[in-house]
């Protein structure tokens, strides 16, 4: 395109306006569809400013789809930040206000963007839940879902949620035979039909009916067990550090199905059951969160995303399974608690809608 314009208009002073006009005529509002020729994404903002088309420069640097194309075309965030700096110098104050929020966002979070692995729309939704940037990312996500209904996007709804125990973690009066034992206990949700207890000690993981204390399930795998709210499913880690799930009454192993590949266990750091009637689990490993749903005695992957740039410490469902709260430790902070040498990690919290509607 640049070479064609030079042949048509050898006078360089007119090239800037001709280039912008041609792009506008050909692509309208969809400048992110311009082919990457190694030049256009690097310099189009500067051409717009030199053509006195400040509104075009502002539109491009506010368009999350175009920004994503530029970051990929330029091999990183540096060229984008240079565009913002040029605009800050050349735009008047009111014009710059339209870009200042984006500029601050990328200065703060740009180092965490990976060129090939980051969906920029989801990246923005990972970090903000209000303001103009959030609204632009939200609208872009909804537009993408209309174009491709297999896509999933997730929405940050808060960062100040404290960890709390699910409803079914109740304080129970244990049988005298179990008192004094070193056990890990989980209870099924009393609001559902079955009240059952999963117990893990140094020998076994077992499930008991709470009222009769009859044993319903037993395995020699002794990791802390998890039990579903309805008391039907028990999950525990096997000797390969993968999680197995079993249907207690049917006495069958529940498979994990991903892309037509079936396994009897799933490798992850830990998992939690949803409090909802539909059996759903959230599991996590490193920076990745996964949501699996039980369908016909098989767990199928429903959604997967990376809410943090650091490793996730734990997750749990909130608001009857509608939201997921994830926790990570972004770094160490100094907290003198009766000991000036005491170092306590700061836990970062984030709550997520499972799915944008």
């Amino acid at each position: 395109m640049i070479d064609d314009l030079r042949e048509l208009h050898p006078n360089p002073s007119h090239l800037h306006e001709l280039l912008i006009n041609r792009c506008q005529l050909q692509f309208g509002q969809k400048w992110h569809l311009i082919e990457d020729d190694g030049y256009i994404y690097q310099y189009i903002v500067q051409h717009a400013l030199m053509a006195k088309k400040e509104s075009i420069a502002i539109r491009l640097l506010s368009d999350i789809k175009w920004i994503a194309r530029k970051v990929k075309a330029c091999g990183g965030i540096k060229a984008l930040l240079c565009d913002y700096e040029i605009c800050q110098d050349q735009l008047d104050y009111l014009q710059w206000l339209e870009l200042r929020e984006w500029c601050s966002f990328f200065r703060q979070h740009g180092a965490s963007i990976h060129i090939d692995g980051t969906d920029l729309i989801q990246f923005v939704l990972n970090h903000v839940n209000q303001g103009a940037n959030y609204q632009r990312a939200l609208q872009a996500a909804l537009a993408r879902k209309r174009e491709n209904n297999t896509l999933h996007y997730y929405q940050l709804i808060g960062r100040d949620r404290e960890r709390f125990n699910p409803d079914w973690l109740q304080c129970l009066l244990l049988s005298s035979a179990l008192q004094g034992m070193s056990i890990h206990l989980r209870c099924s949700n009393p609001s559902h039909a079955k009240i059952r207890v999963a117990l893990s000690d140094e020998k076994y993981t077992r499930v008991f009916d709470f009222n009769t204390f009859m044993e319903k399930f037993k395995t020699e795998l002794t990791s802390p067990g998890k039990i579903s709210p309805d008391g039907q499913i028990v999950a525990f880690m096997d000797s390969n550090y993968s999680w197995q799930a079993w249907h207690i009454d049917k006495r069958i192993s529940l498979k994990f199905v991903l892309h037509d590949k079936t396994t009897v266990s799933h490798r992850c750091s830990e998992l939690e059951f949803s409090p909802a009637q539909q059996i759903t689990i959230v599991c996590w490993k490193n920076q990745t969160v996964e949501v699996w749903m039980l369908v016909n005695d098989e767990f199928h992957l429903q959604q997967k995303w990376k809410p943090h740039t650091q490793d996730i410490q734990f997750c749990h469902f909130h608001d009857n399974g509608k939201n997921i709260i994830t926790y990570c430790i972004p770094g160490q902070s100094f907290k003198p608690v009766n000991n000036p040498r005491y170092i306590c990690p700061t836990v970062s919290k984030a709550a997520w809608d499972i799915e944008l509607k």
Side-chain angles (χ1 to χ4, degrees), residues 206-229:
R206 295 174 289 177
V207 176
F208 293 89
D209 273 332
F210 179 67
N211 294 326
T212 64
F213 226 77
M214 292 181 61
E215 185 177 277
K216 293 294 184 180
F217 179 86
K218 181 178 179 180
T219 176
E220 292 184 356
L221 299 173
T222 60
S223 72
K226 306 294 179 73
I227 190 167
S228 64

Side-chain angles (χ1 to χ4, degrees), residues 166-169 186-198 207-208 225-236 243-249 254 271-281 294 299 317:
D167 294 338
W168 63 92
L169 289 184
R186 295 296 290 259
C187 179
S188 62
N189 192 342
S191 67
H192 291 290
K194 297 181 183 298
I195 302 179
R196 288 177 170 173
V197 181
V207 176
F208 293 89
K226 306 294 179 73
I227 190 167
S228 64
D230 63 359
Q232 292 282 350
I233 313 298
V234 62
F236 48 86
W243 282 81
Q244 294 186 26
W246 285 72
H247 196 291
I248 297 169
D249 293 331
L254 304 177
L271 60 80
E272 290 286 353
F273 283 96
S274 167
Q277 292 278 1
Q278 172 67 50
I279 299 298
T280 307
I281 60 173
L294 185 64
F299 280 105
F317 285 94

